[in-house]
Amino acid sequence: MSYKLNRSTFGDPANNGNTLTREEANALLDEWVLNERLKLHMKQVAHLMKQWAKEKEQLNDEGQWQWEMAGLLHDADWDQWPDQHCKKIIEELEERKVDPSIIHAIASHGPAHFGVEPETAMDKLLYAFDELSGLVHAYSLMRPNGYEGMDLKGVKKRLKDKAFAANVSRDDIADAAARAGLSVDDLVNFVIQHQPHVVA
């Protein structure tokens, strides 16, 4: 099945700066995503995006929420409408007059799948955290103490083991890191330090 979006522009520039409120975003999440594991993944990615925007990009609260919202809703249509993945949430956010940069980040979080290239820092980090957070979380579930005491070496060992969390694309992780001008090690360390704050 092809998820290609067959377009590269999203939203209306007149809507720059527009976001959903936190209540609206969470209501959409709860209505569209019934799978609790998927919902946890989206919240984890949202938290990583917010923390990166705050610590690395030095964005204000409004900027942080834009990044967080992109993470929170990036897979919103996957649960109930997998055959319309990305297309449905993009159209929903366009209808709600959301900032094009948020919509573009969601559209580009899997360039090999959706055919949209990540351009901004928000785009690239959403692409990176999407796959990587899934692998780190899977690793935490097999450890007696979860995230406590987790280190880079342990995660890298799992990254090299293609049978572990086999649905996580190692190529996408490497590609995302390269596009963002970051090392996979730096991204892994950031995830280890920040992901435990989101609990099931």
Side-chain angles (χ1 to χ4, degrees):
M1 180 184 296
S2 173
Y3 297 108
K4 293 284 190 281
L5 295 168
N6 298 317
R7 58 183 175 127
S8 57
T9 58
F10 304 90
D12 184 339
N15 298 326
N16 281 349
N18 289 357
T19 61
L20 301 183
T21 65
R22 188 172 294 277
E23 292 72 25
E24 287 169 338
N26 282 319
L28 180 59
L29 182 74
D30 289 338
E31 181 185 342
W32 283 29
V33 184
L34 309 179
N35 182 313
E36 291 300 323
R37 284 180 60 193
L38 178 58
K39 194 179 287 186
L40 174 63
H41 163 70
M42 293 161 72
K43 287 179 177 178
Q44 287 177 329
V45 173
H47 179 72
L48 290 168
M49 290 289 285
K50 177 183 179 179
Q51 294 305 314
W52 187 277
K54 179 180 179 180
E55 295 176 25
K56 305 294 187 181
E57 307 292 330
Q58 279 88 48
L59 297 180
N60 60 17
D61 289 349
E62 187 179 310
Q64 290 172 37
W65 170 237
Q66 290 184 3
W67 281 56
E68 184 179 358
M69 188 183 136
L72 189 67
L73 297 177
H74 75 282
D75 279 342
D77 50 18
W78 176 249
D79 190 16
Q80 298 191 62
W81 305 279
D83 57 328
Q84 297 182 61
H85 184 32
C86 242
K87 185 172 184 287
K88 188 172 178 66
I89 185 59
I90 285 167
E91 290 174 351
E92 179 73 18
L93 296 179
E94 286 178 328
E95 199 173 296
R96 295 196 189 202
K97 298 181 167 38
V98 165
D99 187 315
S101 68
I102 296 171
I103 302 174
H104 192 277
I106 291 172
S108 63
H109 82 266
H113 306 290
F114 309 121
V116 181
E117 294 299 306
E119 296 169 359
T120 66
M122 192 199 308
D123 295 351
K124 293 168 184 175
L125 270 298
L126 179 56
Y127 176 31
F129 288 143
D130 183 31
E131 293 292 312
L132 196 52
S133 71
L135 182 134
V136 174
H137 184 64
Y139 180 37
S140 78
L141 295 176
M142 63 173 282
R143 301 181 78 251
N145 298 321
Y147 288 100
E148 188 181 337
M150 186 184 291
D151 60 13
L152 174 64
K153 184 179 176 184
V155 174
K156 289 193 76 172
K157 184 177 178 184
R158 296 312 178 286
L159 265 172
K160 288 176 183 170
D161 179 3
K162 299 294 175 66
F164 178 79
N167 59 323
V168 173
S169 170
R170 276 63 172 174
D171 289 343
D172 280 358
I173 290 172
D175 181 48
R179 287 172 186 260
L182 298 162
S183 71
V184 172
D185 289 8
D186 285 344
L187 285 169
V188 169
N189 278 325
F190 189 86
V191 173
I192 291 171
Q193 289 160 15
H194 295 85
Q195 188 150 290
H197 298 293
V198 181
V199 294

